Amino acid sequence: MEYVIIGFLWLSILLYLVLGGADFGAGIIELFTSKAHRYRTRKTAYEAIGPIWEANHMWLIIAVVILFVGFPVIYSTMSIYLHIPLVAMLLGITARGTAFVFRNYDAVIDNMQRVYNRIFLLSSFITPLFLGMIAGSVISGRIDPSETDFTSAYIWPWLNWFSLTIGLFTVGLCGFLASVYLIGEAKPGDDRNSFIRKAKQWNVVAVVCGALVFIASLTENIPLMSWVFGNPFGATAVIAASFSLVVLWILVKRGKTVVPRVLAGFQASMILLAVSYVHFPNFVILKNGEHLSLFEHQAPEATMTALAWALIIGSLFILPSLFYLYYSFQKDRHEGSFVEH
Amino acid sequence: MDNFLAARSQMALSLGFHIIYACIGMVMPFFMAVAHYRWLKTKDVAHKNIAKAWSKGVAIFFAIGAVSGTMLSFELGLLWPNFMKHAGPIFGMPFSLEGTAFFIEAIALGFFLYGWERLNPYFHWFTGVVVGVSGLASGILVVSANSWMNSPAGFDYVNGQYLNIDPMKAMFNEAWFSEALHMTIAAFASTGFAVAGVHALMIVRKQNVHFHQQAFKIAAGFAAVAALLQPLAGDIAAKSVAKRQPAKLAAMEAYFHTQPYSPLVLGGIPDVKTKEVNYGLEVPGLLSFLVYDDFKTPVKALDQIPVENQPPIAITHYSFQVMVGLGMFMMLVAVLYLVAIWFKKHWIYSNWLLKLFIIAVPTGFIAVEAGWMVTEIGRQPWIIQGVMRTKDAVTPMPGIAWSFYLFTGIYFTLSIAVIFLLYRQIRMVPELYDKPAEDLNLSHS
């Protein structure tokens, strides 16, 4: 049963990274778009994520629930030592969610829109940054439960070059995912070409940030190179991701829009897979080479069984209706009858 | 402000705000569905406009309820890691199910908001009902998790170890039904009165009268029924508390000395030093009657509970009095409204009754907050009744006071923003919602 639960946990994190990431990315792209083009960018992004954005945070909540029900020690350790970045990420989520609603549902359109926008764009950047930093801290082996000094216990585990570069890489990845997704949402012609340009730029940003992560891992003495390339599995994942990136650009050139999205999602999942595979079954790496393993720190069997069934039954309800939602609105928009509410 | 107090304050603040957003997000879809159904049946366009206007409210509160709920799922660990480490696997079942219910709610809301004129009318109406039903399920499940803290079940506590865990037993503990029932009715009453009061205000101001009258009737109907049912649910809840948490009941009633013909104290100022209640009105035997259905059996009082296991008495007692008092007031308004509907039709839109409803806008929510204060403060010093103390659950990280100030700022800003947003929605009713069907155009973004 624990494999079912770990599978769901991994999937929730991946879906949050890909779907939530594309959602954050829409805000990030807009943040780095010149003022003149912002309005067009926003309009395209909104039509794409409007009905669906609410559902994306659920993946994060499901991951959190799986952690505290199934792996309570891991959850409480992260909660204690990564308190500050978790709060920062939460503030980002809150600010972003509310600003989105406000800019959509304010009955009066006036200067307040600029305030909502600023909050939305800034929090779109901050949330994935801290999400990445948390992920970086979890695998960097800086968390030390025996530490009593405030800064060493609660600051340095997450405030270091390695975590920071992973945070930036996550931001770059979100921008890339969103721009690839939006290529298909934009109308063919100028609009679409501008998104293709954006996707290229974000692709470069993501690769540069990825290189920074490797540089940071050298300065922080984290054996990232050997983690990724030291085993056939990780190396294969990276090569597959790189190869699919080439295919993606060939297809974009030929005017395809759907398959590139799948490929961009595939690249994100390969990155996550390479990193999680090398550490499996360890979820958190502590200082002094200790680990919090998903096998050793799981809840008692009765809980795991109940949780697994809850997840299986839940997904039977959720996945079909979620697909139907995506399908309905895709179909609707491509028939041209979609109107912003 | 020490860490422990800061952590408690932050949790109280987060729950206090979330419960309001959650209540509205949970109940308004039902109002919306009723208006929507009437539109489908009668083709009175006012009802369609009401459903649309309310659906905006649902969307706003759903989103804010969702983010404040996300915050809470993290805060449980951020503030009480030691509690979650042990309790997570035991009382996690309702949370895992709640994830599903909430997800379905999000999906259904996506369909509903974007489905006007696009989906089959009855399927569209059905998605609105799904929003309400799944929201209600979420609420009941989360309250069930809280009831486990009041009535721990589904495990054996042996030498500090939590053994033989049974998540289903934990979920269906003794308190879950009475708590969930009481809270669900409270959500309907509080939201009903708040919504009805806002529409009453607009009727008094003579704006878009037909639109607001129809809306008022739907919300007031829900509010009246809920307010009349609530005392029954409250009685069930109190009996259940008396059985499981005598300290909480004694603190609620500021009841110091165990005695036959146990008295019920109305109002009064409890003095913990002299163990007396000053200026209160004592009704002999009534407490015994409420708990045991006879006037004689003595109810266990605070003198039988060690001081270190007693909750703060004064604040629990005041909160309880406030809750009951406001409940009575809402019942009175409900009775008057029902009399108006059945016997005195000319009362319905009379100024005095509408003004009563306007006064009642905040009463339900104040009662909800007071009720949660009773249940949470009344459980102190325990976080898990009789098993784990709250002070042993708090995070070791220092400086939580800063976090508390930060969250206070955020929640207040958020609430002011929401009120501002709703005010603008209501002000725009004439332009956005209350227009003839053919030129109703909502694309203003």
Side-chain angles (χ1 to χ4, degrees):
Chain A
M1 273 308 184
E2 61 260 42
Y3 284 101
V4 173
I5 294 171
I6 292 168
F8 270 105
L9 177 64
W10 193 83
L11 206 64
S12 309
I13 295 171
L14 175 72
L15 287 169
Y16 190 59
L17 178 70
V18 174
L19 300 173
D23 186 23
F24 294 131
I28 296 168
I29 293 175
E30 198 183 321
L31 183 65
F32 291 104
T33 300
S34 62
K35 283 227 164 30
H37 296 109
R38 262 193 191 173
Y39 178 73
R40 296 209 68 90
T41 309
R42 185 181 315 154
K43 207 166 157 357
T44 308
Y46 270 28
E47 292 196 354
I49 61 180
I52 296 156
W53 82 274
E54 288 282 16
N56 288 333
H57 282 302
M58 288 309 306
W59 299 115
L60 176 68
I61 295 181
I62 287 178
V64 169
V65 168
I66 291 175
L67 278 181
F68 79 61
V69 178
F71 310 99
V73 176
I74 294 175
Y75 171 81
S76 57
T77 307
M78 285 174 69
S79 297
I80 293 171
Y81 297 100
L82 301 177
H83 188 119
I84 298 167
L86 281 166
V87 167
M89 184 183 79
L90 279 181
L91 297 184
I93 289 174
T94 307
R96 191 172 185 278
T98 43
F100 185 92
V101 167
F102 283 21
R103 76 174 179 179
N104 250 345
Y105 289 108
D106 198 339
V108 188
I109 306 296
D110 57 13
N111 283 343
M112 284 307 290
Q113 287 287 334
R114 304 213 345 233
V115 179
Y116 305 149
N117 258 330
R118 197 152 301 161
I119 295 173
F120 180 79
L121 299 184
L122 217 62
S123 49
S124 291
F125 178 81
I126 284 181
T127 313
L129 176 73
F130 278 99
L131 185 73
M133 283 175 82
I134 290 161
S137 321
V138 164
I139 58 167
S140 66
R142 290 281 184 281
I143 296 174
D144 186 359
S146 62
E147 191 62 69
T148 49
D149 172 55
F150 183 84
T151 47
S152 312
Y154 303 109
I155 306 278
W156 304 137
W158 55 272
L159 193 59
N160 54 59
W161 289 115
F162 182 69
S163 297
L164 197 64
T165 48
I166 289 196
L168 290 172
F169 175 66
T170 312
V171 173
L173 189 66
C174 290
F176 174 65
L177 286 169
S179 47
V180 171
Y181 179 76
L182 291 171
I183 290 173
E185 295 298 322
K187 292 183 185 65
D190 281 355
D191 261 10
R192 183 163 291 184
N193 290 337
S194 85
F195 275 106
I196 291 176
R197 259 201 316 280
K198 280 191 181 34
K200 282 180 183 157
Q201 289 157 358
W202 282 102
N203 192 355
V204 172
V205 170
V207 170
V208 169
C209 290
L212 286 177
V213 173
F214 277 97
I215 295 166
S217 75
L218 294 175
T219 60
E220 302 266 351
N221 295 323
I222 289 167
L224 187 65
M225 278 295 197
S226 69
W227 283 352
V228 175
F229 298 106
N231 61 69
F233 192 90
T236 313
V238 174
I239 291 163
S242 314
F243 177 72
S244 71
L245 194 61
V246 176
V247 176
L248 184 148
W249 285 115
I250 293 169
L251 288 174
V252 168
K253 247 195 161 51
R254 290 189 185 167
K256 299 270 186 287
T257 56
V258 178
V259 182
R261 289 177 187 179
V262 179
L263 291 175
F266 172 77
Q267 283 140 27
S269 50
M270 283 300 119
I271 294 164
L272 191 66
L273 196 63
V275 177
S276 50
Y277 175 82
V278 77
H279 293 302
F280 188 81
N282 301 324
F283 194 85
V284 180
I285 299 171
L286 304 170
K287 217 164 184 150
N288 322 326
E290 288 178 25
H291 309 289
L292 294 181
S293 143
L294 289 166
F295 289 152
E296 287 164 32
H297 291 283
Q298 55 175 276
E301 188 151 353
T303 302
M304 294 302 266
T305 309
L307 175 62
W309 281 112
L311 290 168
I312 292 166
I313 292 164
S315 52
L316 290 180
F317 278 102
I318 291 168
L319 294 175
S321 41
L322 196 62
F323 273 115
Y324 188 55
L325 182 71
Y326 282 106
Y327 166 79
S328 298
F329 290 104
Q330 281 296 337
K331 193 180 69 151
D332 226 24
R333 273 212 318 290
H334 291 289
E335 287 169 3
S337 66
F338 182 87
V339 205
E340 188 74 12
H341 65 96
Chain B
M1 185 175 244
D2 70 359
N3 241 21
F4 179 43
L5 186 63
R8 283 179 65 193
S9 309
Q10 186 180 320
M11 201 69 194
L13 178 91
S14 309
L15 286 164
F17 278 103
H18 178 69
I19 192 67
I20 292 180
Y21 304 141
C23 277
I24 299 175
M26 203 159 89
V27 171
M28 262 186 103
F30 289 99
F31 298 179
M32 180 180 90
V34 170
H36 193 170
Y37 185 76
R38 289 193 176 168
W39 145 247
L40 293 175
K41 282 282 168 238
T42 63
K43 296 292 173 202
D44 172 2
V45 85
H47 281 113
K48 181 186 182 182
N49 296 339
I50 291 166
K52 278 199 177 184
W54 277 345
S55 74
K56 290 288 165 72
V58 169
I60 292 166
F61 280 100
F62 175 80
I64 296 179
V67 290
S68 59
T70 307
M71 279 217 213
L72 276 163
S73 67
F74 278 91
E75 275 181 293
L76 284 169
L78 292 172
L79 300 173
W80 316 105
N82 204 23
F83 162 69
M84 289 308 283
K85 193 159 80 183
H86 296 296
I90 311 172
F91 84 147
M93 194 67 199
F95 287 110
S96 353
L97 296 172
E98 197 255 355
T100 301
F102 189 57
F103 218 136
I104 290 170
E105 187 179 7
I107 294 168
L109 190 66
F111 272 118
F112 185 84
L113 290 176
Y114 293 79
W116 290 101
E117 281 94 40
R118 265 183 236 127
L119 298 169
N120 165 312
Y122 282 93
F123 177 71
H124 182 223
W125 174 79
F126 172 73
T127 58
V129 175
V130 171
V131 173
V133 172
S134 50
L136 209 55
S138 287
I140 289 170
L141 286 162
V142 172
V143 170
S144 149
N146 170 268
S147 70
W148 176 85
M149 293 158 70
N150 289 315
S151 169
F155 67 101
D156 294 323
Y157 187 61
V158 188
N159 304 329
Q161 298 275 324
Y162 297 74
L163 307 171
N164 307 328
I165 290 174
D166 181 345
M168 293 315 274
K169 262 203 189 123
M171 187 162 116
F172 295 111
N173 58 69
E174 280 179 18
W176 88 270
F177 179 74
S178 62
E179 257 197 54
L181 181 71
H182 195 49
M183 183 63 230
T184 305
I185 295 174
F188 273 95
S190 54
T191 310
F193 276 107
V195 173
V198 169
H199 290 291
L201 180 68
M202 302 315 275
I203 301 170
V204 171
R205 289 190 177 174
K206 303 216 173 358
Q207 292 180 353
N208 308 76
V209 173
H210 177 69
F211 173 94
H212 286 296
Q213 280 181 346
Q214 298 304 322
F216 169 81
K217 267 196 198 161
I218 294 171
F222 273 104
V225 173
L228 290 172
L229 288 175
Q230 190 62 307
L232 301 173
D235 183 57
I236 296 171
K239 284 187 168 67
S240 157
V241 168
K243 202 163 70 182
R244 292 172 296 94
Q245 295 174 294
K248 183 187 279 185
L249 184 86
M252 272 155 62
E253 306 289 1
Y255 169 59
F256 289 99
H257 307 287
T258 308
Q259 53 194 289
Y261 299 104
S262 312
L264 185 80
V265 183
L266 298 175
I269 299 175
D271 186 335
V272 181
K273 283 201 189 69
T274 60
K275 303 210 181 336
E276 294 295 335
V277 182
N278 304 319
Y279 318 109
L281 178 70
E282 281 202 0
V283 186
L286 191 55
L287 186 60
S288 294
F289 175 74
L290 287 173
V291 174
Y292 296 113
D293 293 329
D294 73 57
F295 289 96
K296 196 174 169 186
T297 317
V299 177
K300 196 172 175 183
L302 288 162
D303 57 8
Q304 296 197 19
I305 293 151
V307 174
E308 70 271 16
N309 294 348
Q310 285 183 11
I313 292 150
I315 190 164
T316 311
H317 179 66
Y318 297 143
S319 305
F320 182 66
Q321 298 287 325
V322 166
M323 177 182 81
V324 172
L326 291 173
M328 295 287 170
F329 170 73
M330 284 183 276
M331 267 176 77
L332 172 79
V333 178
V335 168
L336 288 171
Y337 180 72
L338 292 179
V339 168
I341 286 184
W342 285 326
F343 306 108
K344 305 255 183 204
K345 288 251 187 286
H346 61 277
W347 280 10
I348 297 186
Y349 301 123
S350 60
N351 258 350
W352 63 267
L353 187 66
L354 291 174
K355 279 184 179 151
L356 265 183
F357 269 97
I358 296 168
I359 293 166
V361 166
T363 51
F365 287 118
I366 298 169
V368 164
E369 297 288 357
W372 276 107
M373 282 169 78
V374 171
T375 200
E376 289 300 288
I377 296 172
R379 196 187 54 243
Q380 300 309 322
W382 304 102
I383 191 165
I384 310 174
Q385 180 71 40
V387 176
M388 185 191 274
R389 287 175 188 274
T390 314
K391 66 173 168 37
D392 300 331
V394 75
T395 181
M397 185 172 119
I400 299 293
W402 295 108
S403 161
F404 169 58
Y405 302 141
L406 180 74
F407 276 74
T408 308
I410 288 163
Y411 276 115
F412 275 98
T413 315
L414 198 61
S415 299
I416 290 164
V418 171
I419 290 165
F420 169 76
L421 201 63
L422 288 178
Y423 167 76
R424 304 230 286 198
Q425 281 282 349
I426 292 159
R427 214 185 57 190
M428 293 295 280
V429 161
E431 278 104 284
L432 290 178
Y433 306 111
D434 197 17
K435 298 201 306 195
E438 48 275 13
D439 63 3
L440 190 81
N441 179 9
L442 290 175
S443 58
H444 59 277
S445 37

